[in-house]
Amino acid sequence: MGQARWAAVVPVKRLHAAKSRLRGALPAVPHEELALALVADTVGAVLACPAVAEVLVVTADPRVAATVGAAGARVVPDHPDAGLNAALRHGAQAAADDGRSWLAALTADLPALRPAELAAALHAVGTDPTGVRRFVADAPGTGTVLLTTPPGVPLAPRFGAGSAAAHLASGAVPLPGAWPSLRRDVDTAADLADAARLGLGPATGALTGVGPAAPGRRPRADRPVYGAGMQGTVATFDAQSRTGVLLLDDGTELPFPARAFDASGLRLLRLGQRLTVHTDPDGGVVRVTLPTMV
């Protein structure tokens, strides 16, 4: 089987109606700003995925359209009351005009998504000789974050409550694989904290700070506060977003934002490399350095 050519479809509600269960998760941040940041980071990661040839964002919101259009996505106008699955079918039809692209439908709330994980999932689908619709369930296992279909096969989306079971019942086949950043959609404040542990994209990461005086602060969200000088090893590092996760000596995973890496003076990080953590009074990571640096 040759290399699959992928078109990704991402539906986005009007911002005032999006992510209602996340309202108030960041009290100092207007809800629409947080919703837009989730979209921007999701679409940015999909655009950066080497397997994806085109990203279509189906939306009726002008701010969303301007943001994703500037990033390089193709905007497909949506009827504001059409609903999620109707928007996906509309986007799939627009993407299928040439009849050659495989289709990938993704939710717009994956702010920790890593392009490499999405590429691995799409590669697993594209090299599957059965040619069936496949889906990836979210972290709890009840929802769906990714639905794929080969050329010529209707997408037939069933997104919504209990979508994993609905997609299974429709004939789609679950796609196995860990892919934690792909499976971590964000519906609640707890989900946002979990996504932060994986490493947020730049737009959402900027909003989870407490303000200009503490740009590297992490969301508290029931995570412990660590003192300056604690050391850990690099568990993950994304050179494109300049974010990563440290495995601390007590076994805790601690994400660090791009600003913390930028303040390090380093050009690259290697997996397994030892680092010292520099924090603000609330435990937010503001700098990571080599143990030999001051």
Side-chain angles (χ1 to χ4, degrees), residues 131-176:
V132 298
R133 292 163 57 245
R134 304 295 294 260
F135 72 93
V136 175
D138 61 9
T142 58
T144 304
V145 293
L146 172 67
L147 175 67
T148 70
T149 189
V153 177
L155 185 64
R158 303 287 194 277
F159 284 84
S163 63
H167 282 129
L168 184 64
S170 75
V173 178
L175 188 66

Side-chain angles (χ1 to χ4, degrees), residues 112-131:
L113 179 62
R114 294 175 184 148
E117 286 191 10
L118 177 58
L122 297 181
H123 177 75
V125 174
T127 54
D128 178 3
T130 62

Side-chain angles (χ1 to χ4, degrees), residues 22-186:
L22 198 58
R23 196 172 292 278
L26 298 177
V29 176
H31 179 72
E32 291 190 10
E33 297 300 321
L34 177 56
L36 182 60
L38 299 181
V39 174
D41 285 334
T42 301
V43 172
V46 180
L47 284 166
C49 176
V52 175
E54 183 180 35
V55 179
L56 298 89
V57 176
V58 185
T59 188
D61 191 290
R63 289 190 65 197
V64 171
T67 297
V68 301
R74 175 181 163 196
V75 177
V76 179
D78 182 32
H79 189 284
D81 300 318
L84 178 61
N85 290 309
L88 280 166
R89 289 191 295 269
H90 183 43
Q93 181 60 49
D97 284 344
D98 64 5
R100 294 183 291 110
S101 295
W102 291 57
L103 296 181
L106 293 110
T107 57
D109 57 353
L110 306 172
L113 179 62
R114 294 175 184 148
E117 286 191 10
L118 177 58
L122 297 181
H123 177 75
V125 174
T127 54
D128 178 3
T130 62
V132 298
R133 292 163 57 245
R134 304 295 294 260
F135 72 93
V136 175
D138 61 9
T142 58
T144 304
V145 293
L146 172 67
L147 175 67
T148 70
T149 189
V153 177
L155 185 64
R158 303 287 194 277
F159 284 84
S163 63
H167 282 129
L168 184 64
S170 75
V173 178
L175 188 66
W179 306 315
S181 75
L182 173 60
R183 294 186 185 272
R184 182 64 279 164
D185 57 347
V186 172

Side-chain angles (χ1 to χ4, degrees), residues 224-226 230-232 246-254 274:
V225 173
Y226 294 97
M230 179 172 283
Q231 293 190 5
L246 297 178
L247 182 63
L248 301 182
D249 290 345
D250 66 356
T252 301
E253 291 186 352
L254 180 67
R274 292 285 294 176

Side-chain angles (χ1 to χ4, degrees), residues 187-282:
D187 290 314
T188 66
D191 295 341
L192 182 60
D194 286 343
R197 293 185 181 97
L198 295 170
L200 294 167
T204 311
L207 293 183
T208 57
V210 182
R217 188 177 296 177
R218 297 175 287 119
R220 295 297 297 273
D222 72 18
R223 283 190 282 174
V225 173
Y226 294 97
M230 179 172 283
Q231 293 190 5
T233 58
V234 179
T236 68
F237 178 67
D238 186 333
Q240 181 177 5
S241 66
R242 309 187 313 286
T243 62
V245 176
L246 297 178
L247 182 63
L248 301 182
D249 290 345
D250 66 356
T252 301
E253 291 186 352
L254 180 67
F256 59 87
R259 285 181 177 268
F261 173 73
D262 294 342
S264 72
L266 301 172
R267 299 182 63 183
L268 190 66
L269 294 177
R270 301 187 308 274
L271 299 186
Q273 191 170 22
R274 292 285 294 176
L275 294 177
T276 298
V277 180
H278 301 258
T279 62
D280 63 23
D282 291 316

